[in-house]
Amino acid sequence: MRKLKNSELDRLSLDSFKAAKKTPLIIVLDNIRSLNNIGSVFRTSDAFLIEKIYLCGITATPPHKDIHKTALGSTETVDWEYVKDTLELVEKLKVEGVKICAIEQVENATMLNDFNPESHTKYALIFGNEVKGVAQKVVSASDVVIEIPQYGTKHSLNISVSCGVVIWDVYSKLKPQN
């Protein structure tokens, strides 16, 4: 086997990316502290044609060198918007018919492997602060709370890792329906 060169990867141009049919997923970052985590979420969102990212609360916005370092230009491809209050955004998205999914550890959470997204439904996946997680008021307003099963000694995953795991899982379940 031979590693492929970047020129052989058949990636979309910026214009083609903007025109491409997007995965019906919105990513909401609720008070993320690390600019590297933000950049990583942009890069993952680019990889899976995510519709939009909302940056909320203290979450930093592009342009910023530390976001750019991990985003590698994906802040130019993925649509994004800053919204100060995550709960207000959640209420607005619900009115628009978007299903709200907080990614968190709560009583009676739906395990990610048991989550079955409905076809022709748009989802917002909410990822929370590195220390405090998704704000309780946002969890309470969510339609479903999804938990990533974990079997080791640690209580959580890094937010950028959580985002990659959840986006891939939901994308792979939606892909046949796109």
Side-chain angles (χ1 to χ4, degrees), residues 13 35 60 64 66 91 107 138 156 169:
S13 68
L35 284 78
H64 192 286
D66 288 333
E91 291 167 353
E107 297 172 332
V138 174
S156 65
D169 184 81

Side-chain angles (χ1 to χ4, degrees), residues 143-164:
D143 296 308
V144 64
V145 179
I146 299 170
E147 181 176 340
I148 301 169
Q150 297 173 63
Y151 305 103
T153 62
K154 298 302 164 199
H155 299 289
S156 65
L157 297 168
N158 177 281
I159 188 269
S160 65
V161 172
S162 294
C163 194

Side-chain angles (χ1 to χ4, degrees), residues 54-66:
Y54 284 97
L55 308 169
C56 301
I58 66 165
T59 308
T61 61
H64 192 286
K65 67 181 176 80
D66 288 333

Side-chain angles (χ1 to χ4, degrees), residues 20-73:
K21 182 180 179 194
K22 301 298 186 284
T23 305
L25 290 175
I26 295 168
I27 305 303
V28 179
L29 299 183
D30 180 28
N31 291 298
I32 304 303
R33 298 178 315 169
S34 166
L35 284 78
N36 291 322
N37 282 338
I38 297 164
S40 180
V41 171
F42 267 95
R43 195 162 158 193
T44 300
S45 296
D46 174 279
F48 296 104
L49 287 169
I50 297 304
E51 186 174 304
K52 189 169 188 173
I53 298 173
Y54 284 97
L55 308 169
C56 301
I58 66 165
T59 308
T61 61
H64 192 286
K65 67 181 176 80
D66 288 333
I67 294 174
H68 178 73
K69 182 167 63 174
T70 49
L72 295 178

